[in-house]
Amino acid sequence: MNANDLAAEHCQPRKGKEQALDATQVAELLRQLPGWRLRDDGMAIVKDFKFADFHHTLGFINAVGFMANREDHHPDLEAGYGHCQVLWSTHDVGGLSLNDFICAARTEALLAR
C-alpha cells in the first residue's frame, strides 16, 4: 500500500490491542510516508511541517482539523511561528493503527501541489 492508497482510505473504528499494528507493519507503512518518524516510545508517528509564516501555519492547522473531524480521528498538534508538529496515535488500541497512517497520508495530501 503506497501513500496515495492510504490517502484514499477512510478511518474505521478501532478498539482493543488486536487492532494495533506490529513493528513490521509500522516500518512498512512508514516507508510510504517520507519525513514521518516513529516517536521514541513507538506509540505514535510524528512529522514537523515548516511554513513561511504563522498565517500559513494556521491555514494548515485548520485544514488538518477539518480532515481529522471528517475522519473522526484527531492528532496532537504543536504549533508556533512557521511550524507545526503533527502527531498521530490511536489511544483506543494503545499504540498505532492503520487510521494513523491513513491520516498521515491525508495530511501529506493537503500539501500536494
Side-chain angles (χ1 to χ4, degrees):
M1 184 174 287
N2 66 35
N4 290 332
D5 295 333
L6 284 166
E9 295 288 323
H10 292 282
C11 293
Q12 303 296 320
R14 301 180 197 277
K15 294 188 182 287
K17 293 200 180 285
E18 67 278 354
Q19 293 287 314
L21 300 173
D22 64 34
T24 302
Q25 293 169 308
V26 167
E28 184 176 318
L29 289 165
L30 270 177
R31 282 193 289 276
Q32 305 308 314
L33 299 167
W36 289 85
R37 62 180 173 79
L38 189 60
R39 193 172 66 183
D40 290 342
D41 65 4
M43 301 296 281
I45 56 173
V46 63
K47 183 173 179 179
D48 297 309
F49 293 87
K50 304 292 183 204
F51 301 96
D53 52 38
F54 195 68
H55 173 77
H56 287 92
T57 304
L58 285 178
F60 173 75
I61 290 168
N62 286 329
V64 170
F66 183 82
M67 178 273 296
N69 278 330
R70 290 193 63 154
E71 292 300 317
D72 195 24
H73 191 64
H74 303 92
D76 291 336
L77 302 171
E78 183 179 307
Y81 187 91
H83 70 93
C84 180
Q85 182 181 79
V86 180
L87 182 144
W88 293 102
S89 66
T90 305
H91 303 288
D92 288 341
V93 304
L96 290 163
S97 76
L98 186 58
N99 289 350
D100 302 309
F101 292 90
I102 290 168
C103 286
R106 286 177 161 260
T107 301
E108 291 294 328
L110 293 171
L111 298 172
R113 296 173 189 202

